[in-house]
Amino acid sequence: MGATYDFDAVVDRRGTWCIQWDGVADRFGVDGLLPFTISDMDFATAPEVLAALRARLEHGVFGYTSWQHDDFRSAVAHWYATRYGTTIDTGQLVYGPSVLNQLSQLLQMWTAEGDGVVVHTPVYDGFRKAITGLGRELRGVPVGDWAALERELARSDARVLVLCSPHNPTGYVWTAEELARTAALAERYGVAVISDEIHADFVHEERVGRGHVPWTRVAGDGRWALITSGSKAFNFPALTGSYGLIGDPDDRAEFLRRMETAEGLASPAVLSLTAHIAAYREGAAWLDAVRAYVAGNLAYVAERLAAELPEVGWVPPQAGYLAWIDLRAVGVDDAALQRVLVEREGVAIMGGAVYGAPGFVRLNVGCPRGKVVRGVEALVRAVGAVR
């Protein structure tokens, strides 16, 4: 009989310096709101990960550490083989403190100030900040608009396509055919691809009938990097740590040189390595269980919206724990909705304008069901108050 996990249990995160709970006033201007915001979960990580971390802490010595060893490399290879049926070349592995840090390094390697960087819209705000913060020009194309994608890739100063796979915030899971088509377009126009796959482990395969396809399976001969982390699926982003695969040996060497010299990041966080190895070797059952629980949360959201706001026509995302909800059909004013949510309902829900999509909201349901109920009911009441 498999292990059971209590995802209904409430873990009090207040007073732990976490951004979602303790930092809510920074974005919403009010303390004490019930948050459904930044994309981490309210669940404790897998027991297997916690056990490995405790054992490492008991050792008591936390000196400079290497990630370039078989314990880590083989754990990543095992995960890709068992989760995605994919054999990776562990010689292509690189390491960094976060996915966004890796993105920044790759953009600095492959682009110059003023160059075009193509993204799918709506766009994760971390991408926007990284791209524009480096002085590159962000060029958005709507998810699924292939003509616009080719038009942007064909521009003479387009240098990089930043692919979010699965897509954040929509939760869309690209098919193998779509990814191969993307790779062919990028190669045709000489555009490098950086594929952020941090949401890959949360694909709801049972509902959408397909799984995640790693970029390595479609990459071809073009310049590319896959960047990811176990921190999203297993909920340990505060440990810091991510890894990537870079196809070209010279690009890989340059990335590592930058990390070890210019960035001074030769030594990774040992607890992140410990967590990744335990998650990838022993955490699959927990991940399957938490993903199923989150799917139940998303089904509840769909049920309540169908009953109270049927004109929205909302269906759960194909991946992730972020409910991306299009409220344009009910004609609510974004600012008015946020005022009611904050001032009357006492909840914090991300507005779609953060991702370049006014009229939407992004509701994080990576939390116990009781919290989801409070959030959805607050949203329904708030929409009713301002429509």
Side-chain angles (χ1 to χ4, degrees):
M1 184 175 179
T4 58
Y5 308 96
D6 183 9
F7 298 115
D8 288 317
V10 175
V11 179
D12 187 359
R13 300 182 66 192
R14 293 185 176 91
T16 62
W17 314 309
C18 69
I19 293 173
Q20 181 162 190
W21 287 83
D22 294 330
V24 70
D26 294 340
R27 187 182 291 268
F28 292 86
V30 179
D31 277 322
L33 301 177
L34 186 66
F36 299 86
T37 54
I38 193 168
S39 59
D40 62 16
M41 298 186 286
D42 288 333
F43 308 123
T45 191
E48 296 81 2
V49 172
L50 289 173
L53 291 172
R54 291 188 186 103
R56 186 63 185 84
L57 287 170
E58 283 297 316
H59 182 269
V61 179
F62 308 105
Y64 294 116
T65 303
S66 171
W67 62 270
Q68 299 193 53
H69 49 76
D70 188 60
D71 287 344
F72 176 68
R73 292 179 187 273
S74 65
V76 175
H78 170 78
W79 189 250
Y80 275 77
T82 58
R83 207 72 185 174
Y84 306 125
T86 297
T87 300
I88 64 166
D89 178 357
T90 58
Q92 295 178 333
L93 280 168
V94 297
Y95 197 88
S98 72
V99 164
L100 284 177
N101 177 272
Q102 288 191 78
L103 174 64
S104 176
Q105 295 303 317
L106 290 163
L107 288 174
Q108 291 176 72
M109 285 170 51
W110 293 346
T111 66
E113 194 165 342
D115 282 345
V117 178
V118 181
V119 299
H120 287 95
T121 57
V123 60
Y124 166 49
D125 58 321
F127 287 176
R128 178 182 291 109
K129 292 173 183 175
I131 293 165
T132 61
L134 289 170
R136 278 58 170 172
E137 184 176 321
L138 185 147
R139 296 174 181 165
V141 297
V143 171
D145 189 336
W146 290 95
L149 178 62
E150 182 163 9
R151 184 169 59 249
E152 290 299 337
L153 294 178
R155 293 176 64 173
S156 61
D157 62 347
R159 296 289 179 266
V160 167
L161 167 65
V162 178
L163 179 70
C164 200
S165 179
H167 185 259
N168 176 19
T170 67
Y172 182 71
V173 178
W174 310 98
T175 66
E177 293 75 18
E178 288 171 328
L179 291 170
R181 183 177 178 183
T182 302
L185 285 172
E187 189 170 345
R188 180 185 308 166
Y189 295 109
V191 175
V193 176
I194 303 172
S195 184
D196 174 355
E197 303 188 9
I198 199 169
H199 293 274
D201 294 328
F202 243 92
V203 173
H204 301 293
E205 295 184 32
E206 297 82 358
R207 193 180 72 78
V208 299
R210 64 178 185 268
H212 172 71
V213 177
W215 186 258
T216 55
R217 290 193 4 211
V218 301
D221 296 326
R223 173 177 261 178
W224 62 271
L226 184 163
I227 55 178
T228 191
S229 174
S231 64
K232 187 70 65 179
F234 289 92
N235 206 38
F236 51 73
L239 297 181
T240 73
S242 68
Y243 63 93
L245 296 156
I246 299 177
D248 182 79
D250 291 336
D251 286 336
R252 192 161 58 247
E254 174 61 12
F255 181 93
L256 292 174
R257 186 196 68 77
R258 285 169 174 263
M259 296 301 289
E260 294 174 3
T261 57
E263 299 299 315
L265 293 170
S267 176
V270 67
L271 295 184
S272 177
L273 286 175
T274 301
H276 272 91
I277 293 166
Y280 285 174
R281 287 290 186 186
E282 306 172 62
W286 180 89
L287 179 59
D288 288 340
V290 76
R291 188 166 45 78
Y293 184 89
V294 165
N297 284 350
L298 292 166
Y300 174 82
V301 175
E303 176 186 338
R304 292 300 297 140
L305 292 181
E308 301 295 338
L309 301 171
E311 60 270 53
V312 167
W314 188 78
V315 295
Q318 296 175 344
Y321 49 80
L322 304 170
W324 179 247
I325 304 169
D326 184 354
L327 296 174
R328 292 174 297 178
V330 295
V332 299
D333 177 78
D334 287 18
L337 179 64
Q338 285 295 324
R339 281 196 299 272
V340 174
L341 287 170
V342 171
E343 297 171 9
R344 184 185 302 180
E345 298 294 340
V347 298
I349 298 173
M350 301 292 281
V354 173
Y355 314 97
F360 289 74
V361 293
R362 195 189 80 168
L363 180 76
N364 181 345
V365 299
C367 57
R369 189 72 43 81
K371 182 186 174 191
V372 175
V373 171
R374 292 174 64 186
V376 173
E377 298 307 318
L379 178 62
V380 167
R381 286 192 299 267
V383 170
V386 300
R387 63 187 306 179

